[in-house]
């Protein structure tokens, strides 16, 4: 290291400021603010009031709860995505089988539409649950859990439509 600071590679303007020196005696002048009449500044060593302590406790508890809720919702979102994939595989198996070729164009269209709606149902349920329960987190959990049971891709699980 060089003996003088001017020869250092990293010399920045304001490095000589005494408030930046570690353990330095220079202090920046405190800003003076004028408060309305009857107001006082809190003392540095004053103990927090009960309201402030409760607010800090509630805030930290809420952060932990919201983190757990976020992880839980993420797990359920993954389940719903897997449900959509399962419905897609199950519907495509049924469409390849000879059971669904009836020869009637209206029946074939309705069967195809029902299949696509079955694939989209988990995504629609998840989105509608979130949108309709923005202010009610408990109701959101209830409806997401109900959907996790109701929307199970039964054709995929049972393996229906497979030849053999």
């Amino acid at each position: 290291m060089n003996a003088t600071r001017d020869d250092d590679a990293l010399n920045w303007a304001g490095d000589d400021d005494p408030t930046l020196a570690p353990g330095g005696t220079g202090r920046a002048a405190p800003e003076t603010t004028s408060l309305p009449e009857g107001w006082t500044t809190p003392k540095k060593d004053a103990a927090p009031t009960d309201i402030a302590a409760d607010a800090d406790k509630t805030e930290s508890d809420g952060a932990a709860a919201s983190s757990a809720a976020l992880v839980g919702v993420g797990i359920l979102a993954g389940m719903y995505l897997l449900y959509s994939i399962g419905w897609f595989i199950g519907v495509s198996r049924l469409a390849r089988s000879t059971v669904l070729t009836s020869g009637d164009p209206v029946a074939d269209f309705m069967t195809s539409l029902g299949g696509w709606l079955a694939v989209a149902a988990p995504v629609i349920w998840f989105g509608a649950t979130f949108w309709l329960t923005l202010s009610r987190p408990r109701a959101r959990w209830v409806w997401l859990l109900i959907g996790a049971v109701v929307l199970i891709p039964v054709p995929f699980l049972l393996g229906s439509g497979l030849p053999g």
Side-chain angles (χ1 to χ4, degrees):
M1 185 129 200
N2 292 334
T4 63
R5 289 189 52 86
D6 291 334
D7 294 333
D8 282 344
L10 296 174
N11 187 12
W12 300 94
D15 279 348
D16 297 331
D17 187 4
T19 60
L20 298 176
T25 59
R27 290 186 154 230
E31 294 183 21
T32 58
T33 58
S34 60
L35 297 173
E37 283 187 37
W39 289 66
T40 59
T41 58
K43 295 185 179 177
K44 190 174 188 179
D45 297 332
T49 62
D50 290 338
I51 295 171
D54 289 343
D56 290 341
K57 181 181 173 188
T58 306
E59 187 174 304
S60 65
D61 291 345
S66 66
S67 295
L70 184 63
V71 169
V73 169
I75 290 170
L76 283 173
M79 280 180 53
Y80 279 102
L81 179 64
L82 289 175
Y83 281 5
S84 286
I85 293 169
W87 274 109
F88 179 77
I89 293 170
V91 168
S92 65
R93 284 179 185 169
L94 288 174
R96 282 185 289 164
S97 71
T98 57
V99 174
L100 297 180
T101 55
S102 65
D104 183 14
V106 175
D108 289 342
F109 171 75
M110 293 305 288
T111 303
S112 175
L113 179 66
W116 284 110
L117 288 176
V119 172
V123 176
I124 293 169
W125 186 289
F126 188 81
T129 300
F130 249 83
W131 182 55
L132 295 172
T133 60
L134 285 174
S135 62
R136 299 180 311 254
R138 245 179 229 175
R140 176 181 300 149
W141 279 102
V142 168
W143 284 107
L144 284 176
L145 292 174
I146 289 171
V149 173
V150 170
L151 297 170
I152 293 175
V154 176
F156 174 73
L157 294 177
L158 296 179
S160 60
L162 289 176

